[in-house]
Amino acid sequence: MAFDGFFTHAVVHELDQTLATGRVAKVNQPYPAELIMTIRAHRHNYSLLLSANPTYPRMQITQIAYQNPAVPSNFVMTMRKYLEGAILESIEQVDNDRIIKMNFKTRDELGDQQRLVLVIEIMARHSNVSLVNEKNHKIIDTIKHVGSDQNRVRLLLPGATFVMPPKQDKVNPYLPNQIYTDLVRKDLDENELAKQLQARYQGLGRQSAQELARELQASSDLPTTYHTFLKQFENPDPVIYDDNNGKRQFAAFLPSNIKEEQLTHYDTLSVMLDAFYAQKAERDRSKELAGQVLKVLHNELKKDRRKVKKLKQQLEDAAKADYYRIRGEILTTYLGKLTAGMTEITLPNFYDDNKPLKIKLDPELSPSRNAQKYFTKYDKLKTSVDYVKEQLKLANDEINYLANIESQIDLASPADIQEIRLELQQQGYIKQKRQKSKKRRKVRVSKPEEFHTSNGTTVLVGKNNLQNDRLSFKIANKNDIWLHVKDIPGSHVIIRDSDPDEQTLLEAAQLAAYFSKGRNSDNVPVDYLPAKRLHKPNGAKPGFVTFTGQKTLYVTPHKLKN
């Protein structure tokens, strides 16, 4: 069941019963399109997630912990100003649409009472969260600004008048109607009946329409069946199940065509949504947060690869330095045969059995200056070799460093992305925003991810370079075993054992291969050695280490259980 109007009805009913009369304690924005409101209601703190994520828009109470950015956005600062301390009077749905209104009572700066409405639109890429002054209908702010160049009908900007999305010519199913009876009498098949119901009723998604059609066709009492179907959304039995195509779905109650063994029951809709979206939303948030980071990485890699190409060309040119030396020496030897104004001359090449060699000349230069020009070119190329080689090494090292970060992003959580971004800021690739406050919030490096081998041995994995450095030089004991894929980007891995058995070593090596750029290969070499043999050169970039005395295993990448 999609997050359609009926499911929205169920969520609103659950949230209104849980949160109404509560007070807003905190407002945070952990991700660009998502807001977390901590509401104190009935002696309990609830974290309410309002998501305008285009892929997973929703509204629910969440128990998942989120890491907030070091610098709060302008939007969240506005929400804090107007909503912290406000009383949530009610949560209501607009008709049977995917639009939710949270009605707040608070006081303005002068102490006068004011009413504010937070409008949540759950509409895929058009999803949004808007704070509106109820009295004058002016928008205070929106999580996504929509200007006239994006939508000529609805302007969603601070100061604009809030206008609801255009209404569809459909009937609110919770209002008295006989549409369903008229459609059933047409004796349509189940699929066609579902399409007709969806076309006429507001907020009826495809799966909900299919379920309603199935129940109506099997009914001997249409009005009772119809109203029982509506009533189920106010007394849900939340489930997650695999449909007949093997696709994971969620629903407010058990669909009639699904067997009990195919599903999992949950206490509330919010708990079910946490379980359903946990991994999917996490990947999407990582992708969203990684947008700017990837853009920076791609631009830097593009510049470095261009630079390497140019430097290699310079090395190739330098390898031809003798071309200019030979011509300079021949011209010097036969200088008396040159006259001013010549454009070329053919002279015997005493480096090649005196075979004739045609040499180009600059007619504007004297004979001696022409010879000197070749020597100057030769000297310039020869002296540039050491510099070019040094620059080539630096450029290749930077490419390897950035490619390593790029591979880390593929398996990164949102917290990892935050730390990768911090690392790039520290290395000067991303500019840091200036803070008005002199106090700069210190971002703590999160703990490496923990796994366990089949015999219970702990294995720690760094998910980004800041974690890698901390793991290898702060957390690891000197006799713990350190692992890393050979010659390709990957995570630092530590076995919390100085003498692991072969199976533990193999499983940890498989894990190191999984958290590397070689995760899609079948045979990945993994180096391992005691952590005490690691060395970090002065001035080295995060994640870079040197070592000696390593042994190598060849494994197929595999992820262990946490």
Coordinates of all heavy atoms in Angstrom, one line a residue, residues 320-385:
K320 N 62.4 13.7 -25.9 CA 62.9 14.1 -27.2 C 63.9 15.2 -27.1 O 64.1 15.9 -28.1 CB 61.7 14.5 -28.1 CG 60.7 13.4 -28.3 CD 59.4 13.9 -29.0 CE 58.4 12.8 -29.1 NZ 57.1 13.4 -29.8
A321 N 64.4 15.5 -25.9 CA 65.3 16.6 -25.8 C 66.5 16.5 -26.7 O 67.0 17.5 -27.2 CB 65.8 16.7 -24.3
D322 N 67.0 15.3 -26.9 CA 68.2 15.1 -27.8 C 67.9 15.6 -29.2 O 68.9 16.0 -29.9 CB 68.6 13.6 -27.8 CG 69.4 13.3 -26.6 OD1 69.8 14.2 -25.8 OD2 69.5 12.1 -26.3
Y323 N 66.7 15.6 -29.6 CA 66.3 16.1 -30.9 C 66.8 17.6 -31.1 O 67.4 17.9 -32.1 CB 64.8 16.1 -31.1 CG 64.2 16.8 -32.3 CD1 63.9 16.1 -33.4 CD2 63.9 18.1 -32.2 CE1 63.4 16.7 -34.6 CE2 63.3 18.8 -33.3 CZ 63.1 18.0 -34.5 OH 62.5 18.7 -35.6
Y324 N 66.6 18.4 -30.0 CA 67.1 19.8 -30.1 C 68.6 19.9 -29.9 O 69.2 20.8 -30.5 CB 66.3 20.6 -29.0 CG 64.8 20.6 -29.3 CD1 64.0 19.7 -28.5 CD2 64.2 21.4 -30.2 CE1 62.6 19.6 -28.8 CE2 62.8 21.3 -30.4 CZ 62.1 20.5 -29.7 OH 60.7 20.4 -29.9
R325 N 69.2 19.1 -29.0 CA 70.6 19.2 -28.8 C 71.4 18.9 -30.0 O 72.4 19.6 -30.4 CB 71.0 18.2 -27.7 CG 72.5 18.2 -27.4 CD 72.9 17.1 -26.3 NE 72.5 15.8 -26.7 CZ 73.2 15.0 -27.5 NH1 74.3 15.4 -28.1 NH2 72.8 13.8 -27.8
I326 N 71.0 17.8 -30.7 CA 71.7 17.4 -32.0 C 71.7 18.5 -33.0 O 72.7 18.9 -33.6 CB 71.1 16.1 -32.5 CG1 71.5 14.9 -31.6 CG2 71.6 15.8 -34.0 CD1 70.7 13.7 -31.9
R327 N 70.5 19.1 -33.2 CA 70.4 20.2 -34.1 C 71.2 21.4 -33.7 O 71.8 22.1 -34.6 CB 68.9 20.5 -34.4 CG 68.2 19.6 -35.3 CD 66.7 19.4 -35.0 NE 66.1 18.4 -36.0 CZ 66.3 17.1 -35.9 NH1 67.0 16.6 -34.9 NH2 65.7 16.3 -36.7
G328 N 71.2 21.7 -32.4 CA 72.0 22.9 -31.9 C 73.5 22.6 -32.2 O 74.2 23.6 -32.6
E329 N 74.0 21.4 -32.0 CA 75.4 21.1 -32.1 C 75.8 21.1 -33.6 O 76.9 21.6 -34.0 CB 75.7 19.8 -31.5 CG 75.7 19.8 -30.0 CD 76.1 18.5 -29.4 OE1 76.3 17.5 -30.1 OE2 76.1 18.4 -28.1
I330 N 74.9 20.6 -34.5 CA 75.2 20.6 -35.9 C 75.2 22.1 -36.5 O 76.1 22.4 -37.3 CB 74.2 19.8 -36.7 CG1 74.3 18.3 -36.4 CG2 74.3 20.0 -38.2 CD1 73.3 17.4 -36.9
L331 N 74.3 22.9 -36.0 CA 74.3 24.3 -36.5 C 75.5 25.0 -36.0 O 76.1 25.8 -36.7 CB 73.0 25.0 -35.9 CG 71.7 24.6 -36.6 CD1 70.5 25.3 -35.9 CD2 71.7 25.0 -38.1
T332 N 75.9 24.7 -34.7 CA 77.2 25.4 -34.2 C 78.4 25.0 -35.0 O 79.3 25.8 -35.3 CB 77.4 25.0 -32.7 OG1 76.2 25.4 -32.0 CG2 78.6 25.7 -32.1
T333 N 78.5 23.7 -35.4 CA 79.6 23.2 -36.2 C 79.7 23.8 -37.6 O 80.8 24.2 -38.0 CB 79.5 21.6 -36.3 OG1 79.4 21.1 -35.0 CG2 80.7 21.1 -37.0
Y334 N 78.5 23.9 -38.2 CA 78.5 24.5 -39.6 C 77.9 25.9 -39.6 O 77.3 26.3 -40.5 CB 77.6 23.6 -40.5 CG 78.2 22.2 -40.6 CD1 77.7 21.1 -39.9 CD2 79.2 21.9 -41.5 CE1 78.2 19.8 -40.0 CE2 79.7 20.7 -41.7 CZ 79.2 19.6 -40.9 OH 79.7 18.3 -41.1
L335 N 78.3 26.7 -38.6 CA 77.7 28.0 -38.4 C 78.1 28.9 -39.6 O 77.3 29.8 -40.0 CB 78.2 28.7 -37.1 CG 77.4 29.8 -36.5 CD1 76.0 29.4 -36.2 CD2 78.1 30.3 -35.3
G336 N 79.3 28.7 -40.2 CA 79.7 29.5 -41.3 C 78.8 29.3 -42.6 O 78.8 30.2 -43.5
K337 N 78.1 28.2 -42.7 CA 77.2 28.0 -43.8 C 75.9 28.6 -43.7 O 75.1 28.6 -44.7 CB 77.0 26.5 -44.1 CG 78.3 25.7 -44.5 CD 78.0 24.3 -44.8 CE 79.3 23.6 -45.3 NZ 79.0 22.2 -45.8
L338 N 75.6 29.2 -42.5 CA 74.3 29.8 -42.3 C 74.4 31.3 -42.7 O 75.4 31.9 -42.4 CB 73.8 29.7 -40.8 CG 73.1 28.4 -40.4 CD1 74.0 27.2 -40.5 CD2 72.5 28.5 -39.0
T339 N 73.3 31.8 -43.3 CA 73.2 33.2 -43.6 C 71.9 33.7 -43.0 O 70.9 33.0 -42.9 CB 73.3 33.5 -45.1 OG1 72.2 32.8 -45.7 CG2 74.6 33.1 -45.6
A340 N 71.8 35.0 -42.7 CA 70.6 35.6 -42.2 C 69.5 35.5 -43.2 O 69.7 35.6 -44.4 CB 70.9 37.1 -41.8
G341 N 68.3 35.3 -42.6 CA 67.1 35.2 -43.5 C 66.7 33.8 -43.9 O 65.7 33.6 -44.6
M342 N 67.6 32.8 -43.7 CA 67.3 31.4 -44.1 C 66.1 30.8 -43.2 O 66.0 31.1 -42.1 CB 68.5 30.5 -43.9 CG 69.7 30.9 -44.9 SD 71.1 29.9 -44.6 CE 70.6 28.3 -45.3
T343 N 65.3 30.0 -43.9 CA 64.2 29.4 -43.2 C 64.5 27.9 -42.9 O 63.9 27.3 -42.0 CB 62.9 29.5 -44.0 OG1 63.1 28.8 -45.3 CG2 62.4 30.9 -44.2
E344 N 65.4 27.3 -43.6 CA 65.9 26.0 -43.3 C 67.2 25.7 -44.0 O 67.6 26.5 -44.9 CB 64.8 25.0 -43.8 CG 64.6 25.0 -45.3 CD 63.6 23.9 -45.8 OE1 62.6 23.7 -45.1 OE2 63.9 23.3 -46.8
I345 N 67.9 24.7 -43.5 CA 69.2 24.3 -44.1 C 69.4 22.8 -44.0 O 68.9 22.2 -43.0 CB 70.3 25.1 -43.5 CG1 71.6 24.8 -44.2 CG2 70.5 24.7 -42.0 CD1 72.8 25.7 -43.8
T346 N 70.0 22.2 -45.0 CA 70.3 20.7 -44.9 C 71.8 20.6 -44.7 O 72.6 21.1 -45.4 CB 69.9 20.0 -46.2 OG1 68.5 20.2 -46.4 CG2 70.2 18.5 -46.1
L347 N 72.2 19.9 -43.6 CA 73.5 19.7 -43.2 C 73.8 18.2 -42.9 O 72.9 17.5 -42.5 CB 73.9 20.5 -41.9 CG 73.8 22.1 -42.1 CD1 73.8 22.8 -40.7 CD2 74.9 22.6 -43.0
P348 N 75.1 17.8 -43.0 CA 75.4 16.4 -42.6 C 75.2 16.1 -41.1 O 75.7 16.9 -40.3 CB 76.8 16.2 -43.1 CG 77.4 17.6 -43.2 CD 76.3 18.5 -43.5
N349 N 74.5 15.0 -40.8 CA 74.3 14.7 -39.4 C 75.5 13.7 -38.9 O 75.5 12.5 -39.2 CB 73.0 14.0 -39.2 CG 72.6 13.6 -37.8 OD1 73.5 13.9 -36.9 ND2 71.5 13.1 -37.5
F350 N 76.4 14.3 -38.2 CA 77.6 13.5 -37.8 C 77.2 12.5 -36.7 O 78.1 11.7 -36.3 CB 78.8 14.3 -37.4 CG 78.4 15.5 -36.5 CD1 78.1 15.4 -35.2 CD2 78.4 16.8 -37.1 CE1 77.8 16.4 -34.4 CE2 78.2 17.9 -36.3 CZ 77.8 17.7 -35.0
Y351 N 76.0 12.5 -36.2 CA 75.5 11.5 -35.3 C 74.8 10.3 -36.0 O 74.5 9.3 -35.4 CB 74.5 12.1 -34.3 CG 75.1 13.0 -33.3 CD1 75.0 14.3 -33.3 CD2 75.8 12.4 -32.2 CE1 75.6 15.2 -32.4 CE2 76.4 13.2 -31.2 CZ 76.3 14.6 -31.3 OH 76.9 15.4 -30.3
D352 N 74.7 10.4 -37.3 CA 74.0 9.4 -38.1 C 74.7 9.2 -39.5 O 74.1 9.4 -40.5 CB 72.6 9.7 -38.3 CG 71.7 8.6 -38.9 OD1 72.2 7.4 -38.8 OD2 70.6 8.8 -39.3
D353 N 76.0 8.8 -39.4 CA 76.8 8.6 -40.6 C 76.8 9.7 -41.7 O 76.7 9.5 -42.9 CB 76.4 7.3 -41.3 CG 76.6 6.1 -40.4 OD1 77.6 6.1 -39.6 OD2 75.8 5.1 -40.5
N354 N 76.7 10.9 -41.2 CA 76.7 12.1 -42.0 C 75.5 12.2 -43.0 O 75.7 12.8 -44.1 CB 78.0 12.3 -42.7 CG 79.1 12.7 -41.8 OD1 78.9 13.5 -40.9 ND2 80.3 12.2 -42.0
K355 N 74.5 11.5 -42.7 CA 73.3 11.6 -43.6 C 72.7 13.0 -43.5 O 72.8 13.7 -42.5 CB 72.2 10.6 -43.1 CG 72.6 9.1 -43.3 CD 71.5 8.2 -42.8 CE 71.8 6.8 -43.0 NZ 70.8 5.9 -42.4
P356 N 72.2 13.5 -44.7 CA 71.7 14.8 -44.7 C 70.5 15.0 -43.7 O 69.6 14.2 -43.6 CB 71.2 15.0 -46.2 CG 71.1 13.7 -46.7 CD 72.0 12.8 -46.0
L357 N 70.5 16.1 -43.0 CA 69.5 16.4 -42.0 C 68.9 17.9 -42.2 O 69.7 18.8 -42.2 CB 70.0 16.3 -40.6 CG 69.1 16.7 -39.4 CD1 67.9 15.7 -39.4 CD2 69.8 16.7 -38.1
K358 N 67.6 17.9 -42.5 CA 67.0 19.2 -42.7 C 66.7 19.9 -41.4 O 66.0 19.3 -40.6 CB 65.8 19.1 -43.6 CG 65.2 20.4 -44.0 CD 63.9 20.2 -44.8 CE 64.2 19.6 -46.2 NZ 63.0 19.5 -47.0
I359 N 67.1 21.1 -41.2 CA 66.9 21.8 -39.9 C 66.2 23.1 -40.2 O 66.6 23.9 -41.0 CB 68.3 22.1 -39.2 CG1 69.0 20.8 -39.0 CG2 68.0 22.9 -37.9 CD1 70.4 21.0 -38.4
K360 N 65.1 23.3 -39.4 CA 64.3 24.6 -39.6 C 65.0 25.7 -38.9 O 65.5 25.6 -37.8 CB 62.9 24.4 -39.1 CG 62.0 23.4 -39.9 CD 60.6 23.3 -39.4 CE 59.8 22.4 -40.2 NZ 58.4 22.3 -39.7
L361 N 64.9 26.9 -39.5 CA 65.5 28.1 -39.0 C 64.5 29.2 -38.9 O 63.5 29.3 -39.6 CB 66.7 28.5 -39.8 CG 67.8 27.5 -40.0 CD1 68.8 28.0 -41.1 CD2 68.5 27.3 -38.7
D362 N 64.7 30.2 -38.0 CA 63.9 31.4 -37.9 C 64.6 32.5 -38.7 O 65.7 32.9 -38.3 CB 63.8 31.8 -36.4 CG 62.8 32.9 -36.2 OD1 62.5 33.6 -37.2 OD2 62.2 33.0 -35.1
P363 N 63.9 32.9 -39.8 CA 64.6 33.9 -40.6 C 64.9 35.2 -39.9 O 65.7 36.0 -40.4 CB 63.6 34.1 -41.8 CG 62.3 33.6 -41.2 CD 62.6 32.6 -40.3
E364 N 64.2 35.5 -38.8 CA 64.4 36.8 -38.1 C 65.5 36.7 -37.1 O 65.9 37.8 -36.6 CB 63.1 37.2 -37.4 CG 61.9 37.4 -38.4 CD 60.7 37.9 -37.6 OE1 60.7 38.0 -36.4 OE2 59.6 38.1 -38.3
L365 N 66.1 35.5 -36.9 CA 67.2 35.4 -36.0 C 68.6 35.2 -36.7 O 68.6 34.7 -37.9 CB 67.0 34.2 -35.1 CG 65.8 34.2 -34.2 CD1 65.7 32.9 -33.3 CD2 65.8 35.4 -33.2
S366 N 69.6 35.6 -36.1 CA 71.0 35.4 -36.7 C 71.3 34.0 -36.6 O 70.7 33.2 -35.9 CB 72.0 36.3 -35.9 OG 72.1 35.7 -34.5
P367 N 72.3 33.5 -37.4 CA 72.8 32.1 -37.3 C 73.1 31.6 -35.9 O 72.7 30.5 -35.5 CB 74.0 32.1 -38.2 CG 73.8 33.2 -39.2 CD 73.1 34.2 -38.4
S368 N 73.8 32.4 -35.2 CA 74.2 31.9 -33.8 C 73.0 31.9 -32.9 O 72.9 31.0 -32.0 CB 75.3 32.8 -33.2 OG 74.8 34.2 -33.1
R369 N 72.0 32.8 -33.1 CA 70.8 32.8 -32.3 C 69.9 31.6 -32.6 O 69.3 31.1 -31.7 CB 70.0 34.1 -32.5 CG 70.7 35.4 -31.9 CD 70.6 35.3 -30.3 NE 69.2 35.3 -29.8 CZ 68.5 36.4 -29.7 NH1 68.9 37.6 -30.0 NH2 67.2 36.2 -29.3
N370 N 70.0 31.2 -33.8 CA 69.2 30.0 -34.2 C 69.7 28.8 -33.5 O 69.0 27.9 -33.0 CB 69.2 29.8 -35.7 CG 68.0 30.4 -36.4 OD1 66.9 30.0 -36.2 ND2 68.2 31.4 -37.3
A371 N 71.1 28.6 -33.5 CA 71.7 27.5 -32.8 C 71.4 27.6 -31.3 O 71.1 26.5 -30.7 CB 73.2 27.5 -33.1
Q372 N 71.5 28.8 -30.8 CA 71.2 28.9 -29.3 C 69.8 28.6 -29.0 O 69.5 28.0 -27.9 CB 71.5 30.4 -28.9 CG 71.5 30.6 -27.4 CD 72.5 29.7 -26.7 OE1 73.6 29.5 -27.1 NE2 72.1 29.1 -25.5
K373 N 68.9 28.8 -29.9 CA 67.4 28.6 -29.7 C 67.2 27.1 -29.4 O 66.4 26.6 -28.6 CB 66.6 29.0 -30.9 CG 65.1 28.8 -30.7 CD 64.4 29.3 -31.9 CE 62.9 29.0 -31.8 NZ 62.1 29.4 -33.0
Y374 N 67.9 26.2 -30.2 CA 67.8 24.8 -30.0 C 68.4 24.3 -28.7 O 67.8 23.5 -28.0 CB 68.5 24.1 -31.2 CG 67.6 24.0 -32.4 CD1 67.7 24.9 -33.5 CD2 66.6 23.0 -32.5 CE1 66.9 24.8 -34.6 CE2 65.8 22.9 -33.6 CZ 65.9 23.8 -34.7 OH 65.1 23.7 -35.8
F375 N 69.5 24.9 -28.3 CA 70.1 24.6 -27.0 C 69.2 25.0 -25.8 O 69.1 24.3 -24.8 CB 71.5 25.2 -26.9 CG 72.6 24.5 -27.7 CD1 73.3 25.2 -28.6 CD2 72.8 23.2 -27.4 CE1 74.3 24.6 -29.3 CE2 73.8 22.5 -28.1 CZ 74.6 23.2 -29.1
T376 N 68.6 26.2 -26.0 CA 67.7 26.6 -24.9 C 66.5 25.7 -24.7 O 66.1 25.4 -23.6 CB 67.2 28.1 -25.3 OG1 68.3 28.9 -25.4 CG2 66.3 28.6 -24.2
K377 N 66.0 25.2 -25.8 CA 64.8 24.3 -25.8 C 65.3 23.0 -25.1 O 64.5 22.4 -24.3 CB 64.3 24.0 -27.2 CG 63.1 23.2 -27.3 CD 61.8 23.9 -26.9 CE 60.6 23.0 -27.1 NZ 59.4 23.7 -26.6
Y378 N 66.5 22.5 -25.5 CA 67.0 21.3 -24.9 C 67.2 21.4 -23.4 O 66.8 20.6 -22.6 CB 68.4 21.0 -25.6 CG 69.2 19.9 -24.9 CD1 68.8 18.6 -24.9 CD2 70.3 20.3 -24.1 CE1 69.6 17.6 -24.2 CE2 71.0 19.3 -23.4 CZ 70.7 18.0 -23.5 OH 71.4 17.1 -22.8
D379 N 67.8 22.5 -23.0 CA 68.1 22.8 -21.5 C 66.8 22.8 -20.7 O 66.6 22.3 -19.6 CB 68.9 24.1 -21.3 CG 70.3 23.9 -21.8 OD1 70.8 22.8 -21.9 OD2 70.9 25.0 -22.1
K380 N 65.8 23.5 -21.3 CA 64.5 23.7 -20.6 C 63.8 22.3 -20.4 O 63.3 22.0 -19.4 CB 63.6 24.6 -21.5 CG 62.3 24.9 -20.8 CD 61.5 25.9 -21.7 CE 60.2 26.3 -21.0 NZ 59.3 27.2 -21.8
L381 N 63.8 21.5 -21.5 CA 63.2 20.2 -21.4 C 63.9 19.3 -20.3 O 63.3 18.6 -19.6 CB 63.2 19.5 -22.7 CG 62.2 20.1 -23.8 CD1 62.4 19.4 -25.1 CD2 60.8 19.9 -23.3
K382 N 65.3 19.3 -20.4 CA 66.0 18.4 -19.5 C 65.8 18.8 -18.0 O 65.7 18.0 -17.1 CB 67.5 18.5 -19.8 CG 67.9 17.8 -21.1 CD 67.6 16.4 -21.1 CE 68.5 15.5 -20.3 NZ 68.2 14.1 -20.4
T383 N 65.8 20.1 -17.7 CA 65.6 20.6 -16.3 C 64.2 20.4 -15.8 O 64.0 20.4 -14.6 CB 66.0 22.1 -16.2 OG1 65.3 22.9 -17.1 CG2 67.5 22.3 -16.4
S384 N 63.3 20.3 -16.7 CA 61.9 20.1 -16.3 C 61.5 18.7 -15.9 O 60.5 18.5 -15.3 CB 60.9 20.6 -17.5 OG 61.0 19.6 -18.5
V385 N 62.3 17.7 -16.2 CA 62.0 16.3 -16.0 C 61.7 16.1 -14.5 O 60.7 15.5 -14.1 CB 63.1 15.4 -16.5 CG1 62.8 13.9 -16.1 CG2 63.1 15.4 -18.1

